[in-house]
Amino acid sequence: MRNAEARVTLGVTAAREGDLEQALIMGERALQGDRQSVPSLIMTSRELAAEVKRRYSTEPSAQDYLAQLQALGREKPGFLPQ
């Protein structure tokens, strides 16, 4: 779980530095694999999602990532903002 959260943090840094590709790679890697605490991952992913949405909302790859995060959020209602 800590590894996934660290990847999200790296993704946020990449997004803020203008590297969408690296941001999405880190975000997607964080979502892969067995997750012990989906709510914790979603909460840490909010910051990355906000950066991606704010900076890159028109990019198809960003839209795909955000859709993937939303799908994960639907599995655990109440953990993503509406």
Side-chain angles (χ1 to χ4, degrees), residues 10-25:
L10 290 172
V12 170
T13 301
R16 290 180 178 161
E17 291 177 348
D19 189 349
L20 174 61
E21 182 179 353
Q22 187 64 25
L24 297 179
I25 288 170

Side-chain angles (χ1 to χ4, degrees), residues 15-66:
R16 290 180 178 161
E17 291 177 348
D19 189 349
L20 174 61
E21 182 179 353
Q22 187 64 25
L24 297 179
I25 288 170
M26 290 293 106
E28 289 170 2
R29 285 184 182 168
L31 297 178
Q32 294 172 350
D34 296 330
R35 291 178 292 280
Q36 298 296 319
S37 178
V38 172
S40 178
L41 178 59
I42 290 171
M43 287 187 293
T44 59
S45 294
R46 285 180 178 172
E47 187 175 3
L48 178 55
E51 286 296 323
V52 168
K53 188 173 183 179
R54 184 171 68 83
R55 295 173 183 258
Y56 309 104
S57 64
T58 61
E59 295 289 332
S61 58
Q63 293 169 358
D64 290 345
Y65 172 74
L66 293 171

